[in-house]
Amino acid sequence: MVLDFEKQVSEIENKIYELKQMSQNSGLDLSSEIKILESQAYEYKCELYANLKPFQKMQIARHTNRPNFLDYVNLIAEDFIELHGDRHGADDRAMIGGVCHIGEKSVMLVGTQKGKNTKENLEYNFGMPQPEGYRKALRLFEHANRFNLPIITLIDTPGAYPGIKAEQTNQGEAIAFNLKEMGKLKVPIVAIITGEGCSGGALGIGVANKVLMLEHAYYTVISPEGCASILWRDVTKAEEASEALKITACDLLKYKIIDDVIKEPLGGAHMDYNETAKNMKDMILRSLSEFDKMKGEQIVQHRYNKFRKMGVFI
Amino acid sequence: MQNKSLKDWFIERKKQQKLARPKDVEIDDRVGELWVKCYNCGLQIPKKEFEANENVCPECDYHFRINARTRINQLFDENSFSELFTNIKPTDPFSFVDTQSYKSRIEVAQEKTKLNDAVICGKAKIDGYKLLAAVMDFDFMGGSMGSVVGEKVTLLLEKALETKLPVLVITASGGARMQESALSLMQMAKTSLAVSKLNDAGVLYMTLLTEPTFGGVTASFGTIGDIIIAEKGARIGFAGRRVIEGTIRQKLPEDFQTAEYLLKYGQVDVVARRQELRSILSKFLAIHSK
Ligand SMILES: [Zn+2]
């Protein structure tokens, strides 16, 4: 999948490829031309990705090849054992969690899971949890609390699922209850927005001591499309909404909604899974180490104070 | 006493209307000034009688949406309400502009409602029982929750933690205030964390969900009450009807997301008519006052 704004890059890259083929087939030495083009392509890319518009970042965040929760499990966790089910009749596949090691640490790792093709997306419900997903997540958080396991959550969701059954089983309460109960957990929580972080569905596993974002992820109270259709009454104004909403990691860091940004490889996380995962793992371990000497009550108060400060008024 | 005379008045009036139709237009004069027309049954009600009936249609029992000041006057003991946190006002942290600027939307709403923002907080009494109360106002930008609503509700909850007084939050909200972006989302966490402290301290936290309560308020302090009451006929839910219809492409049940529907699915403790609220709340306060 080539995104619109990547076309120019891919054209230069195609040209490089052609030149290489030509050089191979004809025996001509084109290495200096190739070198120049390659450095041009690199410079162009650096500039492009350093100056992405919110709407472009959103496209990267939604890229079908973007690493998903289970990719990160494979790349950053050892001994991962999935813990299934909410114990009340359901095992939401859009919300996955389990115990594992990350580096030297034993942790609880929970996150929303998206698919990369239609079949997977149907299985994982496009990363949109039902109430039972949030309840499963809370069950795992409480387990972690009992056994003193730090909690890592990876968030990539277009939102909590809106449907008849979700309303009947109380989607609003499922999220609200998590927000409240996460406030009682005595273990450190690190939440990472890895792709899409849309509204209450994202926050439902996001009340953390440290909130981090991947460089091209976005985090927002409502999807730019939803915002455009309500405020502009025109869904095609999503790009304008994406600017107005200040959804990028850079903006949210400035407003202290998040604590830090995890660097992505050039071109986005999907260009190099290993590098992305390495950056993420380093940041997780660094963040957790800040809480090594804190007692449970202090961790609870730290989380309270962090969110207590949020809000701007006169 | 009032109800009885009101009923007589309606019977008389219905006769008159029948006789008058269609020639006599006099009856429909000055609607909105002295008369209220019921959205549900179409009946015209003299405003005075309507207000004496707590803005509920005496004919079909349709509960009209009421603003925060009206709610305060109806629900709490006379002159018992003393307002708190009055000097907190909204600002425009992101210089947000859609088809209008957020700044001008705030100004229009303030002018219209004479409120600083979409919630009034204060100390109050019901049947002599002291409590802390937050009352949301849907007329102020759809009761949306931004920094001011989040801050005032949190301050109220923190005051409850300190004084051990029971809390009642009356919701009426379309959800988070989009013009405050992620900051409004964070108010959901802030308020819910304050409720978690009340849980630990055993302070009674009650919510009364009124027409309409959706989105960010449903998914935060609205639905985590120790006691949850829904006012009769109120529409309450997480996702809006249109969003759900757009996602699942099927028709929704008639009573979908009404107070009665929520009761059926185990989401609220009590559905109450407006006239019953005082006595129900009074009993809850008495039973939990130790
Ligand atoms: Zn009526």
Side-chain angles (χ1 to χ4, degrees), chain A residues 167 180 301 304 308 314, chain B residues 89 158 197 199 239 267:
Chain A
E167 295 288 324
K180 174 165 80 82
Q301 197 57 40
Y304 188 86
R308 184 66 189 85
I314 46 175
Chain B
K89 297 185 180 99
E158 287 176 340
K197 292 216 161 184
N199 288 174
Q267 302 183 12

Side-chain angles (χ1 to χ4, degrees), chain B residues 170-278:
Chain B
I170 304 177
T171 63
S173 172
R177 188 168 297 168
M178 288 170 280
Q179 291 88 348
E180 290 190 26
S181 306
L183 274 178
S184 66
L185 183 66
M186 296 307 140
Q187 304 311 307
M188 292 168 61
K190 186 165 97 179
T191 51
S192 302
L193 288 172
V195 175
S196 86
K197 292 216 161 184
L198 293 189
N199 288 174
D200 292 341
V203 174
L204 179 65
Y205 173 57
M206 300 189 284
T207 59
L208 168 58
L209 311 178
T210 75
E211 164 74 10
T213 298
F214 279 88
V217 168
T218 300
S220 66
F221 60 84
T223 54
I224 46 177
D226 297 306
I227 301 282
I228 306 174
I229 305 168
E231 192 169 59
K232 185 188 171 182
R235 287 168 303 163
I236 302 151
F238 172 66
R241 259 188 109 89
R242 264 184 301 165
V243 174
I244 297 171
E245 276 170 338
T247 308
I248 62 173
R249 295 177 200 290
Q250 65 185 81
K251 265 209 108 42
L252 300 173
E254 184 91 355
D255 63 342
F256 189 59
Q257 293 181 327
T258 58
E260 294 71 20
Y261 186 86
L262 265 67
L263 186 72
K264 188 162 82 183
Y265 287 99
Q267 302 183 12
V268 297
D269 292 294
V270 177
V271 172
R273 297 180 60 241
R274 192 168 291 160
Q275 280 92 342
E276 301 166 339
L277 286 172
R278 271 181 59 86

Side-chain angles (χ1 to χ4, degrees), chain A residues 86 92 95 129-139 141-142 160-161 165-182 200-207, chain B residues 188 192 215 217-220 222-224 228 237-238 266-267:
Chain A
D86 68 351
D92 192 342
M95 184 77 79
Q130 306 277 356
E132 51 259 36
Y134 293 99
R135 292 180 182 133
K136 168 164 77 173
L138 184 60
R139 181 178 80 79
F141 297 159
E142 285 171 343
Y161 187 72
K165 192 161 163 279
E167 295 288 324
Q168 287 170 350
T169 52
N170 218 348
Q171 187 70 280
E173 188 269 353
I175 292 169
F177 195 69
N178 276 20
L179 306 185
K180 174 165 80 82
E181 295 302 311
M182 286 181 90
L203 189 65
I205 56 167
V207 184
Chain B
M188 292 168 61
S192 302
V217 168
T218 300
S220 66
T223 54
I224 46 177
I228 306 174
F238 172 66
Q267 302 183 12

Side-chain angles (χ1 to χ4, degrees), chain B residues 38 40-41 57 59-60 62:
Chain B
C38 177
N40 188 46
C41 70
C57 174
E59 181 73 7
C60 72
Y62 178 79

